[in-house]
Amino acid sequence: MRILLLHPNYHSGGAEIAGNWPPAWAAYISGALKAAGFADLRFIDAMTNDLSEEQVRAILRTEKPDVIGCTAITPSIYKAERLLEIAKEEHPDALTVLGGIHATFMYQQVLTEAPWIDAIVRGEGEEIIVDLMRAHEDGRWQNDRRSIKGIAYRDGTEVVATVAAPTVKNLDAITPDWSVLEWSKYIYIPMNKRVAIPNMARGCPFTCSFCSQWKFWRDYRIRDPKKVVDEIETLMREHDVGFFILADEEPTINKKKFIAFCEELIRRDLKILWGVNTRVTDILRDEALLPLYRKAGLIHVSLGTEAAAQMKLDRFNKETTVAQNKKAIQLLRDAGIVVEAQFIVGLENETRETLEETYQMARDWKPDLANWAMYTPWPFSDLFRDLGDKVEIFDYEKYNFVTPIMKPDAMDRGELLDGVMNNYRRFYMHKALFSYPWAGSGERRRYLLGCLKAFLKSGFERKFYDLGRVNYWGPQSKGKVDFGFDTSRKRAELGKVEWKTSHNRKLTGPQQAQVMACGGGTEQMSEEAETRVH
């Protein structure tokens, strides 16, 4: 049985300005399938190779697969649906399968608008996809599909979701097949080296209502740090990886495991640099440990410091103070670590004044890098439901952190984009002229100059923030910006979105974290919990 996995060709000018990111999902799914005996498998990365629909169609004709699998985050859902439609046109008898976070929670809407999709894998895919492939290979798919846990499908006009599958309990038993990726294509521009995105844990022990990662992964599980370093060493040896970013939502949540991970990297002396996303509170907690983290190769920390407008909203219940943000940034810089401040902009109460406040914060706090991301309420998050009519754009292709989904009350979207670009221009002009050239010597300075190169490259190519596509050329063009929203796309019926989750913890009391920007949480995992979590 021949299996073809596809990654949709979606671009938005966001994180990809730093390079091409290896689709880890393909390695994990391929590894699970091959371990189960499904060895006739090929992966096509249409995004990295910028393949057109007709190029993908030609590949499908040549490959003649029996199963075509695809994944989708929210902004790439339409691209994924279209690829599977082409697959069904070319191979009507083949099984078309879609996975990923969007389809997991929005399966009713997806199967309604894309009836050519035969099955949706809901949640973690490694074990579910093997069960599905075995049923298909044995000819049991049609008759036994109600008994396959963790899928959704159409039965006539009815959309059926089977009982949720259990989460993968032993993450260390998963063996990804990294060989399916074209490693020469995955270059991290700031380092000019191949980049990998391994994970140390899945899920998060907290349950922020703006976030859906805890819903998708359901329970928090963390790997043996030595096994993670084994994987990194293998990526270096077999695929010439020279930089990695931990894929975890917050890898420092489990302090004990994170320290063990760093100590193992030091013990093996791998001499590889890496980055993480984490929280201000964790940096303050680990002040004395920052030299250890840097010695282990940690060179880039992205902090969720939020935004001025958020601090004025009760829904975000901001407790991380401005002084704490500033201190955390200084601690990281003193340790020789490049620090990036993440600002969320574009809430309904955003104004020119609050945008200016974020710029002044960035200048005062002195992060090495700053990123202004448009507020994007995931359509399957609790917060999206609570926002109600305040969300008026349902073109999910634009849910990409660079397009203003929410319209501020006091600004139009073009003015908002112009204000954000004004912040970028001023911040990085100052850094390029007065900071980066004198940022010390060695790895930190080289890394910052590499980051500047990535920004300049994306700006010159008009890819940054999707500026070329929306026709933004500077302040004079803010009234002519066209975000190209597909207004024919409508809100999914509330009753047809999977809001619930079979989370393994009772969500009561302080465990229900307050809403805030990713990386901006104040919660801490207790030492007892660190020991108990596997």
Side-chain angles (χ1 to χ4, degrees), residues 245-300:
I245 298 174
L246 285 178
D248 307 34
E249 281 74 37
E250 306 292 346
T252 56
I253 283 177
N254 192 313
K255 178 181 176 181
K256 182 178 179 181
K257 295 281 191 178
F258 190 73
I259 291 173
F261 172 71
C262 290
E263 290 176 339
E264 187 65 18
L265 284 170
I266 293 170
R267 188 186 69 79
R268 300 195 198 184
D269 194 26
L270 296 182
K271 292 183 173 60
I272 186 171
L273 298 179
W274 48 286
V276 299
N277 177 80
T278 192
R279 306 177 305 163
V280 167
T281 47
D282 285 10
I283 297 302
L284 298 177
R285 178 199 69 192
D286 295 348
E287 178 178 352
L289 293 166
L290 295 182
L292 173 73
Y293 298 167
R294 180 65 190 89
K295 185 178 180 182
L298 180 60
I299 189 68
H300 186 157

Side-chain angles (χ1 to χ4, degrees), residues 10-19 21 47 75 371-373 397 400-403 417 421 424 454-455 458-459 461-470:
Y10 177 80
H11 301 272
S12 67
E16 65 197 79
I17 69 169
W21 305 100
M47 179 178 177
N371 181 49
W372 283 266
E397 191 167 67
N400 50 25
F401 295 107
V402 303
T403 306
L417 177 63
M421 289 303 106
Y424 272 114
F455 272 109
S458 65
E461 295 174 348
R462 305 287 296 150
K463 292 179 180 179
F464 178 67
Y465 237 78
D466 227 12
L467 297 182
R469 196 175 303 175
V470 302

Side-chain angles (χ1 to χ4, degrees), residues 62-333:
T62 301
E63 290 293 318
K64 297 181 173 59
D66 302 292
V67 178
I68 304 100
C70 194
T71 191
I73 55 175
T74 293
S76 66
I77 185 62
Y78 306 138
K79 299 288 188 184
E81 289 176 356
R82 176 57 182 150
L83 287 188
L84 291 179
E85 183 179 22
I86 293 171
K88 187 62 80 172
E89 290 170 356
E90 294 298 322
H91 305 289
D93 296 328
L95 185 72
T96 50
V97 183
L98 178 65
I101 189 168
H102 187 90
T104 290
F105 296 107
M106 307 292 286
Y107 60 84
Q108 294 224 34
Q109 185 178 42
V110 171
L111 289 172
T112 298
E113 65 190 15
W116 50 85
I117 296 173
D118 294 314
I120 284 175
V121 172
R122 295 160 39 236
E124 289 176 286
E126 288 93 350
E127 295 177 351
I128 300 171
I129 195 68
V130 169
D131 291 342
L132 184 58
M133 292 303 97
R134 284 174 175 161
H136 182 59
E137 185 178 48
D138 296 343
R140 298 182 288 106
W141 156 244
Q142 287 292 335
N143 294 330
D144 290 0
R145 52 188 178 171
R146 284 184 181 266
S147 66
I148 301 173
K149 294 181 179 179
I151 66 169
Y153 59 90
R154 288 174 63 98
D155 187 356
T157 59
E158 178 189 10
V159 173
V160 177
T162 65
V163 64
T167 55
V168 178
K169 300 307 179 187
N170 184 5
L171 296 183
D172 290 322
I174 298 175
T175 304
D177 180 12
W178 294 111
S179 69
V180 300
L181 303 181
E182 298 176 84
W183 282 101
S184 62
K185 304 286 182 68
Y186 305 113
I187 302 299
Y188 186 60
I189 294 173
M191 297 288 296
N192 194 30
K193 292 183 177 181
R194 296 183 183 184
V195 60
I197 313 179
N199 71 323
M200 188 161 70
R202 288 185 178 180
C204 179
F206 308 114
T207 55
C208 299
S209 62
F210 74 93
C211 181
S212 301
Q213 288 296 324
W214 65 269
K215 280 188 174 184
F216 182 81
W217 299 112
R218 293 160 53 191
D219 49 358
Y220 177 67
R221 292 144 290 146
I222 189 163
R223 299 171 60 190
D224 179 347
K226 290 185 178 180
K227 297 288 188 182
V228 182
V229 179
D230 285 344
E231 185 172 335
I232 291 165
E233 193 167 8
T234 298
L235 287 165
M236 294 176 66
R237 182 178 63 253
E238 296 182 3
H239 303 294
D240 196 27
V241 167
F243 185 79
F244 71 88
I245 298 174
L246 285 178
D248 307 34
E249 281 74 37
E250 306 292 346
T252 56
I253 283 177
N254 192 313
K255 178 181 176 181
K256 182 178 179 181
K257 295 281 191 178
F258 190 73
I259 291 173
F261 172 71
C262 290
E263 290 176 339
E264 187 65 18
L265 284 170
I266 293 170
R267 188 186 69 79
R268 300 195 198 184
D269 194 26
L270 296 182
K271 292 183 173 60
I272 186 171
L273 298 179
W274 48 286
V276 299
N277 177 80
T278 192
R279 306 177 305 163
V280 167
T281 47
D282 285 10
I283 297 302
L284 298 177
R285 178 199 69 192
D286 295 348
E287 178 178 352
L289 293 166
L290 295 182
L292 173 73
Y293 298 167
R294 180 65 190 89
K295 185 178 180 182
L298 180 60
I299 189 68
H300 186 157
V301 169
S302 180
L303 289 176
T305 48
E306 305 191 36
Q310 287 173 281
M311 295 178 184
K312 299 176 181 178
L313 286 182
D314 290 339
R315 91 165 69 103
F316 285 91
N317 194 27
K318 185 63 181 174
E319 295 179 13
T320 304
T321 67
V322 169
Q324 287 176 319
N325 290 338
K326 186 174 182 177
K327 181 179 179 181
I329 289 169
Q330 188 60 51
L331 289 173
L332 287 166
R333 292 189 57 175

Side-chain angles (χ1 to χ4, degrees), residues 1-6 25-35 37-44 63 65 67 129 133 177 179-181:
M1 184 169 70
R2 174 162 289 188
I3 301 172
L4 183 69
L5 301 179
L6 297 171
W25 73 271
Y28 282 96
I29 294 299
S30 297
L33 288 169
K34 289 183 178 180
F38 298 99
D40 190 358
L41 184 150
R42 185 183 176 192
F43 170 60
I44 303 298
E63 290 293 318
V67 178
I129 195 68
M133 292 303 97
D177 180 12
S179 69
V180 300
L181 303 181

